């Protein structure tokens, strides 16, 4: 392909630097081309000067280009690879929201990676980690992002030699972005095999809504159908419903790629023409992003306000609510971040465990409680600092800053009272950042400048006396102005005729100056109006007063001035100068606030550990979860007695892979280890505790307590289905989306929970009742297929815990216990007679008069009985309904469905059925071929078949 000549930069694109001056950054707003010149000139070799990227991305200078082989052009789409591997990153951060989201296009794999909305730190740690991990070539940022974020991104791209561009905020709008995402062929176009399957039999009636929509397709596809397909499949790839920043970032990214691709296409197709082959969640190094999975595990639970007139919510029974005893705003935010993005660093986790162990020592409990109480006095200092920088700091902000200096000093004193705390990481951080001398200086200068009592009275920041001589003089005059006005009023009253005003007042308005008020006379209300004395000017009047400024009032304005505004202005100047003195200490104060927030969270953990008897786990590099006597942190708060359970599960132990792990401390000294499986299937009766068993495993992993744990990089759940009329998916589609997300993103170190996956389907078709073919079950087939697919990954098999009532899947050719590396367990139950005698045979069903007791204890082996009828009776379903259900179940098991049609028929219904049967029999016996064609004979034959004579006789008998 012939190469295009390079485009020379115009004067509108770049600025020409003066000779001898260093190169400067130049930013163009809203243009798709070069927006950030990094090189300040420089030589390029001839080959690179003639190279132009096909996607329209601007050229780099030679010293910033890395020679890489060209990627093949994916037909039939336009080539997004160009001559080099170019990554485009579009992070989005809303000012003062503390949250960040982003999207990244990797042209090597033609995938869009999404960073779901997550909490950002004051130091922009997430943004820094994101840029280090992705190392993009092109960086797009919203024009509404705050200056610190833009400067950070700009400096990072300046250092890496990439291109930086500021796009309008409208490009990041979530509603606009959703339309762009739903236009992608990856989501809107069904795979060919699905299309062929749906088109195989077009003569039959559509079997479901999906097939009905597919029948409407035209030549290139019905836009409605394409959008419906895309909306259904979007959640298969990433959870974007609760991530508006991430969704907006994807939209800006796709629009940018579409514009760049259009430069090389004669007939551009827009976003639809982009060759995007996948959308996946971007996990930052050292972080796990459960995202929407936290809702299923009840990590967070919002409850509506009791009043229907309030839109506020409160935290319900949740893991966050259990652990949240934070005293600071930053601490609460950081705790939420830790639960959403638990650390994957063994060093960080170990440091947190050391701190909790230190704070829970008996000799440190009182000191830890006092430290936690001191943190209550530390307000939201980052907001205070932002208000100071903007010149909007109020009285509460300055009070918060002074309290911060006091409580940090008290906190530093308490650190010295902790025992065995010298090697605790959080204590080292506090000692390093608590510059008590500097903080005391800040507190002193603020306290010596601001008059707290006067500020409270006036509802604004006021300055103490003896701070500024000019201000003191103005306040002295203003405070004595009542006496001045009295003397002026006496002087003016001597010059006013007695019949003009019986009394007068000299008043002072801060914005208007000095005025005279006289009573309104009756003759002024009508006639010629208000009479004004010579040298006076009418200002305004109401029903009882007339206000006039005389010449003397002008003299007062000239000599005394507008006192109150001048006092306020001078105090504002002094407070602004005070803020300038404080701002040099901002960096140290901010760093201290971050460390105090971390201390707040660790003290919460210590308090919860003492209150609920949580134990420190042994963290391991091995891919293992070994829990001894595990407890559900929420369930145990709602029951009188909670039964703990064990579990052992090893990652990477799929088909053909046999990893060994160490289950306890003593095993580390041995050469060998123990074998374990990557998959655990739990069966048992209804309401026996299977779901609690699944959830407690995930929560223990999330909390890192009471176990031997390896690092878990992601947690995926199919536990709870949250339906909404705003979604186009059915309940089963939502379940499939959750499982699809897990299959696409799970690794050997991931944990997947499947609670009765497939239960939303019934027997495939009505073939069970209409023919003798073996019944097939879609739900059981999907459940088996998912588990076998994961096992087939071998060493890449994630850790899976599943529950099911599909007992037929444990037969030959499916999930055979003897052939597959699966650990089978069940929740134990106990049977007893009506007299209280225990029955040993727990494998059979419950008969009449017997009782079932749930032991909530996980033991090895399968249980092939669900005892659903007995469970229904225990939870209030009427006994006759339960008995009927058991009877129908028995007939279904014995394939004796006709008995359901024969029962409970009345005598009249039975006689009508016999007569109808006789008519059918006579009709079948009628020899039509031997029948003559005479009309009367045919009528006689039909009358005989129908038995009209017999029926007439019966009717006569009924009448008699």
């Amino acid at each position: 392909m012939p190469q295009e000549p390079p485009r020379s930069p115009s004067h509108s694109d770049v600025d020409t630097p003066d000779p001898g001056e260093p190169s400067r950054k130049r930013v163009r707003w809203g243009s798709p081309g070069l927006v950030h010149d990094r090189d300040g000139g420089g030589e390029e070799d001839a080959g690179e000067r003639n190279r132009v990227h096909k996607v329209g991305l601007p050229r780099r200078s030679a010293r910033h280009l890395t020679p890489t082989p060209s990627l093949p052009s994916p037909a039939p789409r336009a080539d997004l690879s160009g001559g080099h591997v170019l990554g485009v990153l579009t992070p989005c951060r809303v000012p003062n929201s503390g949250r960040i989201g982003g999207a990244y296009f990797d042209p090597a794999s033609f995938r869009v990676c999404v960073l779901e909305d997550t909490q950002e730190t004051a130091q922009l740690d997430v943004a820094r980690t994101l840029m280090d991990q992705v190392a993009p070539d092109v960086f797009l940022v919203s024009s509404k992002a705050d200056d610190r974020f833009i400067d950070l991104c700009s400096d990072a791209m300046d250092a890496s030699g990439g291109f930086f561009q500021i796009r309008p905020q409208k490009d990041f709008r979530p509603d606009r972005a959703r339309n762009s995402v739903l236009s992608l062929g990856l989501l809107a176009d069904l795979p060919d095999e699905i299309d062929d399957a749906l088109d195989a039999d077009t003569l039959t009636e559509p079997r479901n809504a999906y097939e009905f929509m597919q029948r409407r397709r035209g030549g290139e596809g019905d836009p409605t159908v394409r959008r419906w397909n895309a909306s259904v499949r979007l959640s298969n790839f990433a959870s974007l419903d609760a991530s508006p920043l991430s969704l907006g970032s994807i939209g800006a990214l796709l629009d940018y790629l579409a514009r760049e691709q259009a430069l090389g296409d004669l007939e551009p197709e827009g976003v639809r023409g982009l060759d995007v082959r996948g959308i996946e969640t971007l996990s930052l190094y050292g972080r796990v992003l459960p995202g929407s999975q936290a809702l299923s595990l009840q990590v967070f639970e919002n409850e509506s306000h009791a009043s229907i007139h309030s839109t506020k919510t409160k935290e319900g029974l949740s893991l966050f609510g259990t652990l949240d005893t934070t005293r600071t705003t930053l601490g609460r935010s950081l705790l939420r971040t830790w639960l959403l993005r638990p650390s994957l660093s063994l060093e960080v986790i170990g440091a947190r465990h050391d701190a909790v162990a230190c704070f829970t020592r008996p000799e440190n409990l009182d000191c830890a409680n006092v430290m936690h109480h001191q943190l209550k006095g530390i307000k939201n200092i980052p907001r205070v600092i932002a208000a100071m920088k903007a010149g909007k700091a109020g009285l509460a902000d300055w009070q918060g800053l002074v309290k911060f200096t006091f409580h940090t000093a008290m906190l530093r004193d308490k650190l010295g009272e902790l025992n065995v705390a010298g090697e605790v990481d959080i204590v080292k951080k506090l000692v390093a950042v608590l510059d008590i001398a500097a903080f005391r200086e800040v507190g002193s200068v603020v306290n010596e400048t601001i008059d707290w009592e006067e500020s409270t009275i006036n509802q604004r920041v006021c300055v103490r006396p003896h701070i500024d001589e000019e201000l003191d003089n103005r306040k002295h005059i203003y405070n004595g102005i009542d006496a001045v006005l009295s003397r002026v009023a006496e002087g003016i009253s001597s010059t006013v005729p007695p019949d003009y005003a019986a009394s007068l007042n000299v008043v002072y308005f801060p914005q208007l100056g000095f005025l005279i008020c006289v009573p309104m006379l009756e003759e002024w209300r009508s006639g010629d109006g208000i009479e004004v004395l010579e040298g006076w000017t009418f200002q305004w009047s109401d029903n009882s007063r007339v206000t006039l400024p005389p010449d003397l009032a002008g003299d007062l304005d000239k000599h005394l001035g507008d006192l109150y505004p001048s006092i306020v202005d001078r105090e504002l100047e002094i407070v602004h100068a005070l803020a300038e003195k404080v701002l040099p200490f901002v960096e140290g104060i901010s760093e201290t606030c971050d460390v105090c927030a971390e201390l707040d969270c660790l003290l919460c953990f210590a308090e919860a550990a003492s209150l609920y008897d949580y134990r420190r786990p042994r963290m391991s590099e091995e891919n293992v979860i070994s829990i001894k006597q595990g407890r559900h942190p929420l369930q145990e708060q709602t029951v009188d007695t909670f039964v703990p359970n064990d579990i052992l599960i090893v990652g990477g132990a799929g088909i053909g892979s046999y990893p060994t792990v160490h289950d306890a401390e003593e095993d580390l000294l041995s050469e060998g280890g123990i074998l374990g499986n990557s998959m655990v299937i739990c069966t048992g009766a209804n309401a026996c505790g299977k779901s609690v068993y699944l959830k407690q495993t995930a929560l223990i992993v999330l909390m890192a307590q009471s176990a031997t744990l390896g690092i878990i990089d992601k947690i995926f759940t199919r536990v709870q289905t949250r339906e909404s009329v705003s979604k186009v998916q059915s309940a089963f589609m939502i379940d499939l989306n959750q499982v699809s997300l897990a299959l696409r993103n799970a690794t050997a170190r991931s944990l997947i929970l499947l609670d009765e996956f497939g239960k939303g389907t019934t027997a495939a078709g009505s073939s069970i009742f209409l023919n003798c073919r073996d019944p097939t079950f879609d739900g059981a087939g999907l459940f088996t297929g998912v588990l076998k697919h994961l096992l087939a990954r071998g060493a890449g098999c994630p850790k899976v815990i599943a529950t099911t009532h599909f007992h037929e899947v444990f037969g030959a050719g499916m999930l055979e216990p003897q052939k597959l590396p699966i650990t089978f367990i069940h929740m134990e139950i106990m049977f007893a007679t009506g007299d209280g005698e225990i029955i040993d045979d727990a494998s059979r069903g419950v008969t009449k008069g017997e009782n079932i007791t749930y032991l909530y204890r996980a033991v090895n082996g399968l249980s092939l009985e669900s005892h659903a009828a007995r469970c229904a009776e225990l939870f209030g379903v009427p006994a006759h309904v339960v008995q009927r259900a058991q009877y129908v179940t028995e007939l279904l098991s014995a394939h004796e469905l006709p008995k359901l049609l024969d029962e409970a028929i009345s005598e009249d219904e039975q006689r009508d059925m016999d007569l109808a049967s006789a008519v059918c029999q006579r009709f079948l016996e009628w020899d039509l071929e031997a029948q003559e064609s005479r009309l009367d004979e045919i009528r006689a034959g039909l009358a005989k078949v129908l038995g009209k004579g017999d029926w007439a006789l019966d009717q006569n008998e009924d009448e008699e």
Side-chain angles (χ1 to χ4, degrees):
M1 180 181 294
Q3 295 178 335
E4 302 174 2
R7 182 177 65 88
S8 301
S10 63
H11 292 290
S12 61
D13 294 336
V14 296
D15 299 328
T16 304
D18 295 334
E21 290 187 359
S23 60
R24 296 173 297 170
K25 291 183 286 187
R26 292 169 289 279
V27 178
R28 179 196 293 173
W29 291 68
S31 64
L34 177 63
V35 291
H36 215 163
D37 186 3
R38 306 287 175 181
D39 304 326
E43 298 293 332
E44 293 179 330
D45 63 272
E48 296 297 344
R49 277 199 305 269
N50 293 327
R51 187 189 300 266
V52 175
H53 300 306
K54 181 177 176 61
V55 293
L57 294 174
R59 294 179 293 110
R60 292 186 181 185
S61 62
R63 61 191 182 97
H64 286 145
L65 287 171
T66 303
T68 58
S70 298
L71 295 174
S73 299
R77 309 291 189 189
D79 183 12
L80 287 178
S81 63
H84 304 277
V85 178
L86 298 174
V88 183
L89 178 65
T90 57
C92 183
R93 183 173 185 267
V94 178
N96 301 324
S97 71
R99 300 185 66 79
I100 185 175
Y104 168 71
F105 177 72
D106 181 10
S109 60
F110 292 89
R111 291 180 176 272
V112 172
C113 302
V114 182
L115 174 66
E116 297 178 2
D117 291 8
T118 187
Q119 194 70 28
E120 178 62 289
T121 65
Q123 286 73 33
L124 305 179
D125 292 333
V126 176
R128 297 176 193 274
T129 305
L130 179 63
M131 288 184 290
D132 292 341
Q133 179 173 332
V134 172
D137 299 85
V138 178
F139 202 104
L140 310 179
V141 68
S142 168
S143 59
K144 289 294 184 68
D146 54 64
D147 293 339
R148 288 180 60 241
F149 181 67
I150 292 179
D151 292 342
L152 174 66
C153 302
S154 174
D155 294 340
M157 297 307 292
D158 195 10
S160 65
F163 298 103
F164 179 75
Q165 184 177 14
I166 299 176
R167 298 295 305 168
Q169 174 62 24
K170 65 180 182 180
D171 289 358
F172 291 81
R173 287 174 48 190
D175 53 346
R176 176 176 176 178
R178 178 171 287 276
N179 292 330
S180 298
V181 174
L182 297 183
S183 301
L184 287 174
L186 170 71
L187 302 176
D189 297 334
L190 290 178
D192 294 338
E193 57 270 19
I194 297 181
D195 286 348
D196 296 340
L198 292 174
D199 290 339
D201 187 5
T202 58
L203 300 179
T204 61
E205 292 294 329
R207 294 172 295 180
N208 49 48
Y210 205 87
E211 184 174 340
F212 172 78
M213 297 294 287
Q214 283 299 122
R215 297 285 178 88
R216 299 177 55 193
R217 289 181 305 167
E220 294 185 358
D222 186 350
T224 304
V225 177
R226 291 174 56 84
R227 185 177 180 86
W228 190 77
N229 292 339
S231 61
V232 169
R233 302 181 66 201
L234 176 59
S235 55
N236 293 0
F237 296 88
S239 301
L240 298 178
D241 291 338
S243 300
L245 299 180
S246 301
L247 184 59
S249 299
I250 298 177
L253 174 64
L254 296 178
D255 289 346
Y256 178 83
L257 294 176
R259 287 194 302 270
E260 299 302 329
Q261 181 173 268
L263 297 178
D265 286 353
L266 296 178
E267 297 180 358
E269 300 181 65
V271 173
R272 181 181 175 183
L274 295 176
D275 186 13
V276 176
R277 302 176 184 176
I279 302 175
E280 60 186 30
T281 301
L282 176 64
S283 297
L284 299 182
Y285 294 146
R287 299 288 183 184
V288 56
L289 299 173
S292 60
Q293 314 300 329
L295 299 176
S296 298
L297 297 176
Q298 219 169 332
V299 177
F300 303 99
E301 185 71 25
N302 288 331
E303 291 184 355
S304 301
H305 196 275
S307 174
I308 62 174
H309 303 290
S310 176
T311 59
K312 295 181 179 180
T313 60
K314 64 177 182 179
E315 192 69 28
L317 179 63
S318 64
L319 181 63
F320 177 74
T322 299
L323 299 177
D324 182 26
T325 56
T326 54
R327 302 296 199 274
T328 65
T329 303
L330 293 180
R332 181 181 174 87
S333 177
L334 182 61
L335 178 60
R336 180 176 290 271
T337 301
W338 280 5
L339 292 179
L340 281 174
R341 304 197 331 261
S343 176
L344 298 184
S345 170
L346 289 177
E347 182 180 357
V348 172
I349 296 174
R352 293 176 184 174
H353 288 162
D354 292 340
V356 173
C358 174
F359 296 145
T360 53
R361 293 176 65 91
E363 60 270 26
N364 289 337
L365 289 178
D366 292 339
C367 184
N369 290 334
V370 174
M371 291 172 62
H372 212 181
H373 179 74
Q374 294 297 337
L375 290 174
K376 189 175 182 180
I378 299 179
K379 305 302 180 182
N380 191 357
I381 299 301
R383 186 192 63 80
V384 172
I385 293 175
M388 289 183 181
K389 290 182 177 180
K392 300 178 181 179
L395 178 62
D397 298 326
W398 289 105
Q399 288 175 336
L401 182 60
V402 173
K403 289 181 180 180
F404 167 81
T405 61
F406 171 76
H407 288 285
T408 51
M410 299 295 294
L411 188 64
R412 180 64 182 86
D413 294 339
K414 281 296 176 182
L415 285 179
E417 300 179 13
L418 288 174
N419 295 288
V420 196
E423 298 301 322
V424 177
D425 185 65
I426 187 64
V427 175
K428 293 181 179 179
K429 289 182 180 179
L430 282 170
V431 172
V433 301
L434 287 176
D435 189 354
I436 301 302
F439 295 166
R440 283 176 177 169
E441 180 181 350
V442 171
S444 298
V445 69
V446 173
N447 196 48
E448 292 171 357
T449 303
I450 297 179
D451 190 333
W452 305 111
E453 183 177 356
E454 184 181 355
S455 299
T456 303
I457 296 173
N458 295 329
Q459 294 298 309
R460 61 179 180 83
V461 182
C462 299
V463 178
R464 290 181 182 274
H466 311 299
I467 298 297
D468 183 79
E469 183 177 359
E470 179 182 354
L471 177 63
D472 292 343
N473 292 333
R474 293 179 184 178
K475 285 187 175 183
H476 178 72
I477 297 173
Y478 182 74
N479 292 332
I481 199 171
D482 290 342
V484 174
L485 295 181
S486 298
R487 290 196 297 270
V488 171
E490 292 176 359
I492 295 177
S493 62
S494 62
T495 62
V496 176
D499 58 345
Y500 184 81
S503 63
L504 61 84
N505 293 319
V506 179
V507 296
Y508 169 72
F509 290 94
Q511 302 299 330
L512 300 178
F514 296 90
L515 302 172
I516 295 177
C517 293
V518 298
M520 173 73 75
L521 300 179
E522 290 296 331
E523 56 267 24
W524 293 351
R525 300 179 186 274
S526 59
D528 297 335
I530 300 173
E531 179 183 354
V532 180
L533 297 179
E534 183 179 359
W536 292 26
T537 304
F538 172 73
Q539 190 74 11
W540 79 82
S541 67
D542 53 23
N543 292 330
S544 59
R545 295 282 181 178
V546 177
T547 305
L548 310 100
D551 294 339
L552 180 58
D555 294 337
L556 291 174
D557 288 336
K558 180 178 180 181
H559 291 91
L560 297 181
D562 204 350
L563 277 179
Y564 187 80
S566 65
I567 292 173
V568 174
D569 292 342
R570 183 54 186 164
E571 286 184 328
L572 288 176
E573 293 174 0
I574 295 173
V575 172
H576 180 73
L578 175 64
E580 293 294 331
K581 295 179 181 178
V582 172
L583 288 180
F585 301 93
V586 162
E587 184 175 353
I589 293 174
S590 299
E591 188 176 357
T592 301
C593 289
D594 293 336
V595 179
C596 288
E598 185 176 351
L599 174 65
D600 197 6
C601 294
L602 294 175
L603 289 172
C604 286
F605 292 165
E607 185 174 339
S610 299
L611 182 62
Y612 301 110
D613 193 25
Y614 294 155
R615 307 297 178 86
R616 177 173 182 169
R618 182 180 72 84
M619 301 306 299
S620 173
E621 293 282 356
E622 297 176 328
N623 192 2
V624 61
I625 298 176
S626 177
I627 300 174
K628 302 294 185 182
Q629 299 295 291
R631 313 189 316 271
H632 194 293
L634 304 181
Q635 184 73 16
E636 67 174 350
Q637 299 180 42
T638 61
V639 296
D640 296 332
T641 303
F642 186 86
V643 180
N645 281 297
D646 302 345
I647 189 173
L648 172 63
I649 185 169
V650 179
I655 297 176
S657 178
Y658 309 99
T660 59
V661 297
H662 296 88
D663 186 29
E665 293 284 356
E666 56 269 14
D667 290 336
L668 296 175
L669 303 178
S670 61
E671 295 181 358
I674 61 173
L675 292 174
N677 294 323
S678 289
M679 191 169 294
V680 175
I681 296 181
C682 182
T683 57
N686 293 97
C688 64
K690 299 187 296 296
S691 298
V692 172
Y693 183 73
L694 263 67
K695 293 179 181 179
Q696 80 177 34
T697 303
L699 290 177
I700 289 173
V701 168
L702 193 66
M703 297 169 63
Q705 55 100 13
S706 184
T708 299
L709 299 176
I711 294 298
I712 307 296
D713 62 354
K714 301 180 185 71
I715 300 176
F716 299 99
T717 65
R718 205 317 309 160
V719 174
Q720 185 177 7
T721 303
R722 291 179 175 263
E723 300 181 67
S724 173
V725 294
S726 62
K727 296 182 179 180
V728 297
Q729 300 102 322
S730 66
F732 187 60
M733 280 186 177
I734 296 174
D735 292 350
L736 291 175
N737 284 334
Q738 294 173 350
V739 174
S740 175
L741 185 67
L743 295 179
R744 294 175 188 275
N745 296 280
T747 67
R749 285 196 171 271
S750 300
L751 175 63
I752 301 177
L753 306 181
L754 301 176
D755 190 10
E756 298 185 23
F757 171 62
K759 65 181 179 181
T761 60
T762 59
S766 56
S767 60
I768 297 177
F769 309 103
L770 299 182
N771 57 42
C772 298
R773 291 183 298 173
D774 292 335
T776 57
F777 298 87
D778 290 343
L782 285 169
F783 176 76
T784 305
V786 168
L787 296 189
K788 281 197 168 184
H789 166 75
L790 295 173
L791 287 172
R793 295 187 180 183
C797 179
K799 295 174 283 294
V800 182
I801 310 176
T803 67
T804 185
H805 287 288
F806 293 135
H807 301 135
E808 62 274 10
V809 302
F810 304 119
M814 301 182 77
L815 300 178
E816 299 181 62
Q818 297 81 11
K819 296 184 178 180
L820 294 176
I822 301 176
T823 300
F824 293 94
I825 62 175
H826 69 277
M827 305 305 290
E828 195 173 14
I829 57 177
M830 182 178 67
F831 297 105
T833 63
D835 299 331
E837 183 181 353
I838 297 177
I839 302 174
D840 295 333
D841 186 9
S843 62
R844 61 180 181 82
V846 183
T847 60
K848 187 176 181 180
E850 295 178 353
N851 298 320
I852 181 173
T853 302
Y854 298 107
L855 301 181
Y856 305 109
R857 186 168 58 226
V859 295
N860 292 329
L862 280 171
S863 174
L864 301 180
E865 290 288 344
S866 295
H867 307 294
R870 185 57 178 163
C871 180
E873 188 174 351
L874 288 175
F875 287 96
V877 178
H880 69 277
V881 176
V882 175
Q883 294 173 4
R884 175 65 178 175
Q886 289 177 316
Y887 175 70
V888 173
T889 301
E890 293 173 358
L891 294 180
L892 286 172
S893 302
H895 300 284
E896 296 179 354
L897 289 180
K899 288 187 177 181
L900 293 175
L901 304 177
D902 297 337
E903 64 180 11
I905 299 178
S906 65
E907 293 182 0
D908 292 339
E909 291 174 340
Q910 183 65 44
R911 186 165 63 169
D912 290 343
M913 185 178 294
D914 293 341
L915 289 175
S917 178
V919 171
C920 293
Q921 185 66 29
R922 287 195 295 269
F923 183 78
L924 293 175
E925 294 174 352
W926 188 12
D927 189 0
L928 296 176
E929 294 181 356
Q931 183 68 45
E932 297 182 5
S933 59
R934 293 176 56 183
L935 183 59
D936 54 346
E937 295 180 355
I938 294 176
R939 288 178 176 175
L942 286 175
K944 181 179 179 181
V945 168
L946 297 175
K948 294 184 65 175
D950 295 337
W951 287 351
L953 180 60
D954 292 338
Q955 291 176 355
N956 292 333
E957 291 177 353
D958 294 339
E959 292 176 359
E960 294 176 356

